Amino acid sequence: MVCALQAVAGLGPRRPRRAYGFMNGPMVDARAVHKHFGALHVLKGVDLRVAERELVFVIGPSGSGKSTLLRCLNRLEEPSSGSVVVDGIDILDPRTDINHARQRIGMVFQSFNLYPHMTALGNVTLALRLVAGKSRGEAEALGRAALERVGLADRAGHTPGQLSGGQQQRVAIARAIALEPRVMLFDEPTSALDPELVGSVLEVMRALRESGMTMIVVSHEMGFARNAADRVVFMDAGAIVEEGPPVAIFERPAHERTRAFIGQIQRH
Amino acid sequence: MSTWDRFAETFFNAKVMHRYLPDILSGVVVTIELALLVVVTGIGAGLALALLRSLGIRPLNWLIIGVVDLFRSLPPLVVIVLIYFGLPSAGLAPSGFVSTWLSLAFVLMAFSEEIFWAGITSVDRGQWEAARSTGLSFGQTLMNVVLPQAFRLAIPPLTNRTIAITKGTALGTVVAVTEILGQASSAMSNSYNPSPLMMGAAAYLVLFLPVVVAARFIETRFAWKR
């Protein structure tokens, strides 16, 4: 990991191509990303580089632009300017087949967004059939395997309405990982959950992290960040204020704004 | 003769009913044909317009909204008369049947477009985002994720509208369409007795009650398990 980080920062010896599957650079390389919503300047030139297998936590007050940044990475939001390269693919290039590229970028939402008219298995297999071009049989086998990974093999035939929030979020994770993405984006995955259901989702995320998935997580689950994150990025007012290892950010924040924010969320 | 006998003699006169039954039945056939045509083409065109509108091409949407608002505001009778008496001056001479069909289909198209559109726009934005984030295209998302949910929301208002507008087949009378009400009212004036009208009413019940029941069935089918 240290080597990977050095490579990202342009430090250390240049690694041979494809070492650890590390191809031409970081898994996610966002540079000078700006986003305007009308007169509102939501992202003010954000740079974010994430190495393969790295887990980056993005924290910050609401309205700081962290969700928007995440959504710029798979072009759910079109950045006003800047560049976004994921797994070597220029996401913002109009010639890029964005639907194809999005298979490599899994996303999990705060409100789960499962398809209510389909079973858990139906949710997981839809893109496998329509985007990855799998037959129904193949898709179902892969879908069941994905549900197995999130511990919900026995809920394949349930509709979202019959599942708890935690189970729904795990199905949403299965829906994303079934496509074998190269990177996973989590947008406040546990914020809509009752406290007793948070653990099961974090457990799935931890297992995913251990399997070597590159992950970018917008969340305030500080305990999880401390244990699992390689790096914590603090954003405020559309810009990255500071970043570093979790211990450094949580215990010895360099900036006053970071300190104030960390103090606020730890008081609750 | 008791009051009841007089009432029965007037409204449920067996002789008159027997005599005009064939006319009423042929009216039923015409009404069914007309209603099926109106429902299939009207709802089909309404859905097509709603789908076109979801593409978000601005000039096209203005056009769609204009057409839809026009047909929602005009009384169907006016549309029938305009088509039947107006189109001949453009060199086309649609029959009363075709005029009634086209008019009611346009009106149903207008209402069903609005109903489908309302259904599409009320599907949560997160559904679009989730589907698009897994790589589904706009069209795939619309067809597989959004429309099934929009249909579920659209079915109750759509049923109401469909029944109201198919009952408008009775307006065909004014352009000499021999549907149920047309047959019944001419039988009524020929026999000086309102019994045929009662038969007509019975025929409407027999036709539309199953439609209402079928609609309930579809509503429960489209409701997903909770």
Side-chain angles (χ1 to χ4, degrees):
Chain A
M1 190 51 65
V2 171
C3 293
L5 281 172
Q6 283 174 339
V8 170
L11 303 168
R14 199 165 175 81
R15 302 201 63 85
R17 298 184 101 201
R18 304 195 61 82
Y20 309 110
F22 201 99
M23 299 209 299
N24 296 320
M27 181 62 78
V28 174
D29 191 353
R31 288 168 195 245
V33 174
H34 284 265
K35 177 67 189 176
H36 300 264
F37 289 116
L40 216 60
H41 198 174
V42 181
L43 292 179
K44 299 169 181 164
V46 174
D47 289 280
L48 182 69
R49 246 140 282 166
V50 179
E52 186 169 10
R53 296 176 154 264
E54 193 181 12
L55 191 158
V56 172
F57 238 74
V58 183
I59 61 171
S62 79
S64 59
K66 45 194 199 307
S67 283
T68 307
L69 172 64
L70 210 59
R71 296 154 59 85
C72 282
L73 300 181
N74 65 353
R75 222 168 93 187
L76 275 188
E77 273 336 321
E78 191 90 36
S80 309
S81 66
S83 78
V84 176
V85 176
V86 177
D87 195 22
I89 298 170
D90 184 346
I91 295 295
L92 304 184
D93 187 334
R95 286 165 302 179
T96 299
D97 178 354
I98 189 66
N99 296 327
H100 186 74
R102 278 180 181 149
Q103 282 185 74
R104 297 160 179 253
I105 312 170
M107 189 160 195
V108 173
F109 302 85
Q110 181 177 355
S111 48
F112 327 138
N113 300 343
L114 291 183
Y115 315 134
H117 57 301
M118 294 181 188
T119 61
L121 188 62
N123 269 274
V124 178
T125 51
L126 184 67
L128 283 170
R129 288 191 289 119
L130 296 181
V131 187
K134 308 284 186 198
S135 70
R136 184 173 283 274
E138 282 177 295
E140 288 192 352
L142 291 168
R144 284 182 196 283
L147 286 172
E148 177 90 57
R149 281 181 74 182
V150 300
L152 290 175
D154 57 333
R155 295 285 189 278
H158 288 53
T159 60
Q162 299 168 322
L163 299 172
S164 74
Q167 290 171 331
Q168 289 188 55
Q169 191 60 298
R170 281 146 66 197
V171 172
I173 295 174
R175 173 172 67 184
I177 62 176
L179 292 161
E180 294 181 0
R182 302 282 284 141
V183 54
M184 285 283 292
L185 312 175
F186 291 86
D187 190 1
E188 309 214 19
T190 57
S191 304
L193 294 176
D194 292 335
E196 76 272 18
L197 302 176
V198 169
S200 65
V201 171
L202 292 183
E203 206 171 296
V204 167
M205 290 172 66
R206 191 166 291 129
L208 199 57
R209 191 249 182 297
E210 272 153 25
S211 75
M213 179 66 75
T214 308
M215 294 161 72
I216 305 177
V217 183
V218 170
S219 167
H220 293 146
E221 296 291 343
M222 293 304 152
F224 182 72
R226 252 176 230 276
N227 290 328
D230 297 302
R231 183 155 52 109
V232 175
V233 172
F234 174 68
M235 281 184 77
D236 190 21
I240 291 178
V241 176
E242 70 173 296
E243 55 185 298
V247 179
I249 297 290
F250 293 142
E251 321 251 319
R252 302 179 297 277
H255 285 72
E256 184 48 46
R257 275 186 291 172
T258 319
R259 211 167 307 149
F261 179 74
I262 301 281
Q264 258 169 1
I265 53 176
Q266 276 173 347
R267 229 174 298 138
H268 295 294
Chain B
M1 200 187 255
S2 72
T3 323
W4 165 250
D5 285 340
R6 211 171 307 133
F7 176 82
E9 178 81 12
T10 310
F11 286 95
F12 299 99
N13 187 312
K15 233 162 54 190
V16 175
M17 282 180 143
H18 184 257
R19 175 150 172 228
Y20 288 101
L21 183 63
D23 288 353
I24 301 289
L25 286 181
S26 82
V28 167
V29 172
V30 173
T31 296
I32 290 177
E33 287 171 349
L34 198 50
L36 282 180
L37 274 174
V38 167
V39 169
V40 170
T41 53
I43 293 181
L47 178 59
L49 285 189
L51 293 179
L52 278 178
R53 190 168 168 188
S54 70
L55 295 177
I57 305 165
R58 211 169 268 182
L60 185 65
N61 284 4
W62 288 334
L63 188 70
I64 291 172
I65 293 167
V67 168
V68 162
D69 286 354
L70 181 73
F71 282 109
R72 288 200 304 161
S73 337
L74 287 175
L77 183 61
V78 172
V79 185
I80 293 175
V81 169
L82 278 177
I83 290 184
Y84 187 71
F85 296 104
L87 278 191
S89 20
L92 294 162
S95 66
F97 183 88
V98 170
S99 306
T100 311
W101 163 38
L102 287 181
S103 312
L104 296 179
F106 277 128
V107 174
L108 183 55
M109 169 191 81
F111 279 102
S112 58
E113 188 279 336
E114 277 303 300
I115 291 169
F116 282 128
W117 178 246
I120 289 171
T121 52
S122 58
V123 172
D124 188 71
R125 201 181 131 87
Q127 294 286 309
W128 283 97
E129 292 179 348
R132 296 306 304 273
S133 79
T134 58
L136 265 67
S137 67
F138 175 85
Q140 287 172 328
T141 304
L142 187 62
M143 290 303 176
N144 296 280
V145 175
V146 175
L147 269 191
Q149 302 183 48
F151 280 150
R152 179 180 159 274
L153 296 163
I155 282 171
L158 198 60
T159 323
N160 285 338
R161 257 311 144 188
T162 303
I163 291 170
I165 290 169
T166 37
K167 276 191 291 193
T169 48
L171 295 170
T173 327
V174 298
V175 288
V177 180
T178 53
E179 46 65 60
I180 298 174
L181 193 69
Q183 293 285 18
S185 53
S186 65
M188 187 165 68
S189 36
N190 289 337
S191 64
Y192 303 108
N193 184 289
S195 296
L197 198 63
M198 293 296 107
M199 292 166 78
Y204 275 110
L205 278 182
V206 169
L207 273 187
F208 284 106
L209 271 181
V211 176
V212 181
V213 173
R216 284 210 192 288
F217 174 73
I218 297 172
E219 279 169 38
T220 44
R221 262 217 59 168
F222 266 82
W224 39 83
K225 289 182 263 172
R226 292 201 176 268

